[in-house]
Each structure stands twice: as structure tokens, then as C-alpha cells.
Amino acid sequence: MSGFQSFLSNALLWVEGLAAIISIFSYYKNAANNFWKYFVFYLVFVFLCELFGKYGAHWITYSKAQFYNYLVIPLQFFFFYWLYAVKSLKNKGLFILLSLLYLISFIPSEFYFKGSKIIFSFNYTFGCLILMFLVLLEYYKQITSSDIINFNKNRMFYINLGVTLFYIGTLPFWTFYYLLLKYHQMWNVYYDYFLISGIVMYVLFSISFVWGKQNS
């Protein structure tokens, strides 16, 4: 990791923490008793997991990769599936179906793609494809909304944009990670994008609590 990438990695961690703090203050300042409190919990959870992954990984008996692959990332996916399908699109059945499909994806991931030198993590790739489907549905909902002129007050606009830049934008990087490693310069550029897009995503999450609060 270069010095610039190390700086970005540290910046990403603290921007995650800042997003968690802003969400807490913004939420309780407005005393809004709605489902957005779970987004606050989510941001705090992610920040604590990232802190633990960076500084406390030596306390666990399993690898850092397992910590993320079997706990942190699945919980992130489940949260976004719930936020998009249940709360934004009002379709609980869609949430259940997509969550089950994601869980099933662990089977081929463990038995057919483990150790693959082509697809880095099948279940992560499949989870991102599901998330991309929900992102597209959310864009369609926003574009066809009669309230599109007030998009800057829509909290989901900032969240959707952040998820697009980070999860969807870095999908090829994590899917073909091993193949990209053969092209070191390309890998470095894409890794820079991964870190920068992560920073931008959490900035957008913070903005969603400040500018989007009127539509929460």
C-alpha cells in the first residue's frame, strides 16, 4: 500500500466515524421517531466493525477476511436490502426473496468458487448484483416521482448515489480481484477509486441527515 493509499484508508475510517456522529446528533436533534434510527445504528455498527477490523483483529481466532465475509458484509447487505425493498419500495416479499437468494449464494461460493482465481468472492459479487437491482429500482422510483423537483430533500437520493459509487462502482474490482492483480498499475488505480468512493459514500450519508432530514 502506497503512502497515498494509507492516507485514504485512514481517512475512510474517520469519515465513517464522522458520519456516525453526524447521524446521531441530527437524528436526536430532530427527535424523529421513525425507521431512520436504524440507519443511525447501522452507521455506528459499521464504524465499530471497521475499528475492530483495523486495530482489534489480533483478538479474534479467525481471519480478518472471515470476519468481513461472514459477519460485516452480510449484515451490510441485509440492511440495504431492508432499507430499499421494505422501507423505500414498500415490498417486504421482495426483501425476503432477495435475502434468501443472497444466503443461498454462500453454497456455490463455499463449494465451487472457494479458491477460484477468477471470481474473488462469489457471494459478495452476487450480493452486489442484488443491490444493483434495488439501486436501479430506486432510481426509477425517484425519476418517476411527482416530487422529483425536491430530490435534494430526499434522503434516499444521497444514499442511493453513495451506494452506486461505492458498491456498484467497485463491483468489478472485487469480482476480478485476482485477475487485476496481474496488472499492478490498473489494480492501484482501482484500489484508489475504492477508497475514494468509500469516503464519498459516507460523506453523502452524512449529507443525507443534514439536507435530507425534511423528507425523512
Short mmCIF file of all heavy atoms in Angstrom, two decimals, residues 7-36:
data_model
loop_
_atom_site.label_atom_id
_atom_site.label_comp_id
_atom_site.label_asym_id
_atom_site.label_seq_id
_atom_site.Cartn_x
_atom_site.Cartn_y
_atom_site.Cartn_z
N PHE A 7 -3.07 6.93 3.55
CA PHE A 7 -3.78 8.14 3.97
C PHE A 7 -5.28 8.00 3.70
O PHE A 7 -6.12 8.32 4.55
CB PHE A 7 -3.22 9.36 3.25
CG PHE A 7 -4.08 10.59 3.38
CD1 PHE A 7 -4.07 11.33 4.55
CD2 PHE A 7 -4.90 11.00 2.34
CE1 PHE A 7 -4.88 12.46 4.68
CE2 PHE A 7 -5.71 12.11 2.46
CZ PHE A 7 -5.68 12.85 3.64
N LEU A 8 -5.63 7.52 2.50
CA LEU A 8 -7.03 7.37 2.14
C LEU A 8 -7.72 6.34 3.03
O LEU A 8 -8.87 6.52 3.43
CB LEU A 8 -7.17 6.95 0.67
CG LEU A 8 -6.82 7.99 -0.39
CD1 LEU A 8 -6.92 7.37 -1.79
CD2 LEU A 8 -7.75 9.19 -0.28
N SER A 9 -7.00 5.25 3.35
CA SER A 9 -7.56 4.21 4.20
C SER A 9 -7.90 4.76 5.59
O SER A 9 -8.97 4.49 6.15
CB SER A 9 -6.57 3.05 4.31
OG SER A 9 -7.09 2.04 5.15
N ASN A 10 -6.98 5.55 6.16
CA ASN A 10 -7.24 6.17 7.46
C ASN A 10 -8.35 7.20 7.37
O ASN A 10 -9.20 7.30 8.27
CB ASN A 10 -5.97 6.82 7.98
CG ASN A 10 -4.91 5.81 8.39
OD1 ASN A 10 -5.23 4.75 8.89
ND2 ASN A 10 -3.65 6.13 8.18
N ALA A 11 -8.37 7.95 6.27
CA ALA A 11 -9.40 8.96 6.07
C ALA A 11 -10.78 8.32 5.97
O ALA A 11 -11.76 8.82 6.53
CB ALA A 11 -9.12 9.79 4.81
N LEU A 12 -10.85 7.17 5.29
CA LEU A 12 -12.12 6.46 5.16
C LEU A 12 -12.65 6.05 6.53
O LEU A 12 -13.85 6.21 6.82
CB LEU A 12 -11.93 5.23 4.27
CG LEU A 12 -13.13 4.28 4.15
CD1 LEU A 12 -14.36 5.01 3.63
CD2 LEU A 12 -12.78 3.11 3.22
N LEU A 13 -11.78 5.55 7.38
CA LEU A 13 -12.20 5.12 8.72
C LEU A 13 -12.79 6.28 9.50
O LEU A 13 -13.87 6.15 10.11
CB LEU A 13 -11.00 4.53 9.47
CG LEU A 13 -11.27 4.10 10.92
CD1 LEU A 13 -12.30 2.98 10.97
CD2 LEU A 13 -9.97 3.68 11.60
N TRP A 14 -12.12 7.42 9.47
CA TRP A 14 -12.60 8.54 10.27
C TRP A 14 -13.79 9.25 9.65
O TRP A 14 -14.63 9.82 10.37
CB TRP A 14 -11.45 9.52 10.53
CG TRP A 14 -10.38 8.84 11.34
CD1 TRP A 14 -9.11 8.54 10.98
CD2 TRP A 14 -10.53 8.31 12.67
NE1 TRP A 14 -8.45 7.87 11.97
CE2 TRP A 14 -9.30 7.71 13.03
CE3 TRP A 14 -11.58 8.28 13.59
CZ2 TRP A 14 -9.10 7.10 14.26
CZ3 TRP A 14 -11.38 7.66 14.82
CH2 TRP A 14 -10.15 7.09 15.14
N VAL A 15 -13.94 9.17 8.35
CA VAL A 15 -15.15 9.69 7.71
C VAL A 15 -16.34 8.81 8.08
O VAL A 15 -17.45 9.32 8.28
CB VAL A 15 -14.97 9.77 6.17
CG1 VAL A 15 -16.31 10.05 5.48
CG2 VAL A 15 -13.99 10.86 5.81
N GLU A 16 -16.11 7.51 8.20
CA GLU A 16 -17.17 6.62 8.69
C GLU A 16 -17.58 7.00 10.10
O GLU A 16 -18.78 7.04 10.43
CB GLU A 16 -16.67 5.17 8.67
CG GLU A 16 -16.54 4.58 7.28
CD GLU A 16 -15.89 3.21 7.29
OE1 GLU A 16 -15.34 2.81 8.35
OE2 GLU A 16 -15.90 2.54 6.25
N GLY A 17 -16.60 7.30 10.94
CA GLY A 17 -16.90 7.72 12.30
C GLY A 17 -17.64 9.04 12.33
O GLY A 17 -18.58 9.22 13.11
N LEU A 18 -17.22 9.97 11.46
CA LEU A 18 -17.88 11.28 11.39
C LEU A 18 -19.33 11.13 10.94
O LEU A 18 -20.22 11.80 11.48
CB LEU A 18 -17.11 12.18 10.42
CG LEU A 18 -17.67 13.60 10.24
CD1 LEU A 18 -17.62 14.36 11.56
CD2 LEU A 18 -16.88 14.35 9.17
N ALA A 19 -19.56 10.24 9.97
CA ALA A 19 -20.93 10.00 9.50
C ALA A 19 -21.79 9.46 10.63
O ALA A 19 -22.96 9.85 10.78
CB ALA A 19 -20.91 9.03 8.32
N ALA A 20 -21.23 8.57 11.44
CA ALA A 20 -21.97 8.01 12.57
C ALA A 20 -22.32 9.11 13.58
O ALA A 20 -23.45 9.17 14.07
CB ALA A 20 -21.15 6.91 13.24
N ILE A 21 -21.36 9.98 13.87
CA ILE A 21 -21.58 11.06 14.84
C ILE A 21 -22.63 12.05 14.32
O ILE A 21 -23.54 12.45 15.05
CB ILE A 21 -20.26 11.80 15.14
CG1 ILE A 21 -19.30 10.87 15.89
CG2 ILE A 21 -20.52 13.06 15.95
CD1 ILE A 21 -17.90 11.42 16.04
N ILE A 22 -22.51 12.44 13.04
CA ILE A 22 -23.48 13.37 12.45
C ILE A 22 -24.88 12.78 12.47
O ILE A 22 -25.86 13.46 12.77
CB ILE A 22 -23.05 13.73 11.02
CG1 ILE A 22 -21.81 14.62 11.05
CG2 ILE A 22 -24.20 14.45 10.28
CD1 ILE A 22 -21.23 14.92 9.67
N SER A 23 -24.98 11.49 12.15
CA SER A 23 -26.30 10.85 12.13
C SER A 23 -26.91 10.84 13.53
O SER A 23 -28.12 11.07 13.68
CB SER A 23 -26.17 9.42 11.59
OG SER A 23 -25.50 8.56 12.50
N ILE A 24 -26.10 10.60 14.55
CA ILE A 24 -26.61 10.57 15.92
C ILE A 24 -27.14 11.94 16.33
O ILE A 24 -28.27 12.08 16.81
CB ILE A 24 -25.51 10.11 16.90
CG1 ILE A 24 -25.18 8.64 16.67
CG2 ILE A 24 -25.97 10.34 18.35
CD1 ILE A 24 -23.96 8.16 17.45
N PHE A 25 -26.33 12.98 16.11
CA PHE A 25 -26.74 14.33 16.50
C PHE A 25 -27.93 14.82 15.69
O PHE A 25 -28.86 15.44 16.23
CB PHE A 25 -25.56 15.30 16.36
CG PHE A 25 -24.61 15.28 17.52
CD1 PHE A 25 -23.43 14.57 17.44
CD2 PHE A 25 -24.90 15.95 18.70
CE1 PHE A 25 -22.55 14.53 18.50
CE2 PHE A 25 -24.03 15.92 19.77
CZ PHE A 25 -22.85 15.21 19.68
N SER A 26 -27.91 14.55 14.38
CA SER A 26 -29.01 15.00 13.52
C SER A 26 -30.30 14.31 13.88
O SER A 26 -31.36 14.93 13.95
CB SER A 26 -28.66 14.74 12.05
OG SER A 26 -29.73 15.11 11.21
N TYR A 27 -30.21 13.00 14.14
CA TYR A 27 -31.42 12.24 14.45
C TYR A 27 -32.05 12.69 15.76
O TYR A 27 -33.24 12.98 15.83
CB TYR A 27 -31.10 10.75 14.51
CG TYR A 27 -32.31 9.91 14.85
CD1 TYR A 27 -33.26 9.61 13.89
CD2 TYR A 27 -32.52 9.48 16.16
CE1 TYR A 27 -34.38 8.87 14.21
CE2 TYR A 27 -33.64 8.75 16.49
CZ TYR A 27 -34.58 8.43 15.50
OH TYR A 27 -35.69 7.72 15.84
N TYR A 28 -31.26 12.78 16.80
CA TYR A 28 -31.81 13.13 18.10
C TYR A 28 -32.16 14.61 18.22
O TYR A 28 -33.03 15.00 19.00
CB TYR A 28 -30.86 12.70 19.22
CG TYR A 28 -30.89 11.21 19.41
CD1 TYR A 28 -29.85 10.41 18.96
CD2 TYR A 28 -31.98 10.61 20.03
CE1 TYR A 28 -29.89 9.03 19.12
CE2 TYR A 28 -32.03 9.23 20.20
CZ TYR A 28 -30.98 8.45 19.74
OH TYR A 28 -31.04 7.09 19.88
N LYS A 29 -31.51 15.44 17.41
CA LYS A 29 -31.85 16.86 17.39
C LYS A 29 -33.26 17.06 16.85
O LYS A 29 -34.02 17.91 17.31
CB LYS A 29 -30.85 17.62 16.52
CG LYS A 29 -31.15 19.11 16.42
CD LYS A 29 -30.13 19.81 15.52
CE LYS A 29 -30.45 21.29 15.38
NZ LYS A 29 -29.50 21.97 14.47
N ASN A 30 -33.61 16.23 15.86
CA ASN A 30 -34.93 16.36 15.25
C ASN A 30 -35.97 15.46 15.93
O ASN A 30 -37.16 15.56 15.63
CB ASN A 30 -34.86 16.00 13.76
CG ASN A 30 -34.07 17.02 12.97
OD1 ASN A 30 -34.59 18.07 12.63
ND2 ASN A 30 -32.82 16.72 12.68
N ALA A 31 -35.47 14.59 16.84
CA ALA A 31 -36.37 13.71 17.61
C ALA A 31 -37.37 13.00 16.71
O ALA A 31 -38.56 12.90 17.02
CB ALA A 31 -37.12 14.53 18.67
N ALA A 32 -36.89 12.52 15.58
CA ALA A 32 -37.77 11.84 14.63
C ALA A 32 -37.91 10.38 15.02
O ALA A 32 -36.95 9.63 15.01
CB ALA A 32 -37.20 11.95 13.22
N ASN A 33 -39.12 10.00 15.38
CA ASN A 33 -39.35 8.62 15.81
C ASN A 33 -39.79 7.78 14.61
O ASN A 33 -40.96 7.47 14.42
CB ASN A 33 -40.43 8.59 16.90
CG ASN A 33 -40.58 7.19 17.48
OD1 ASN A 33 -39.67 6.37 17.38
ND2 ASN A 33 -41.74 6.93 18.06
N ASN A 34 -38.85 7.44 13.74
CA ASN A 34 -39.16 6.64 12.57
C ASN A 34 -38.04 5.65 12.29
O ASN A 34 -37.10 5.53 13.06
CB ASN A 34 -39.44 7.54 11.36
CG ASN A 34 -38.29 8.48 11.07
OD1 ASN A 34 -37.12 8.12 11.22
ND2 ASN A 34 -38.60 9.70 10.64
N PHE A 35 -38.14 4.98 11.16
CA PHE A 35 -37.20 3.89 10.86
C PHE A 35 -35.78 4.37 10.61
O PHE A 35 -34.85 3.55 10.57
CB PHE A 35 -37.70 3.08 9.66
CG PHE A 35 -37.68 3.82 8.35
CD1 PHE A 35 -36.53 3.84 7.57
CD2 PHE A 35 -38.81 4.47 7.89
CE1 PHE A 35 -36.50 4.50 6.36
CE2 PHE A 35 -38.79 5.15 6.67
CZ PHE A 35 -37.63 5.16 5.90
N TRP A 36 -35.56 5.68 10.42
CA TRP A 36 -34.21 6.17 10.14
C TRP A 36 -33.27 5.97 11.33
O TRP A 36 -32.06 6.05 11.19
CB TRP A 36 -34.24 7.64 9.73
CG TRP A 36 -34.76 7.82 8.34
CD1 TRP A 36 -35.94 8.41 7.97
CD2 TRP A 36 -34.14 7.37 7.13
NE1 TRP A 36 -36.08 8.35 6.61
CE2 TRP A 36 -35.00 7.73 6.07
CE3 TRP A 36 -32.94 6.70 6.84
CZ2 TRP A 36 -34.69 7.44 4.74
CZ3 TRP A 36 -32.64 6.41 5.52
CH2 TRP A 36 -33.51 6.78 4.48
#
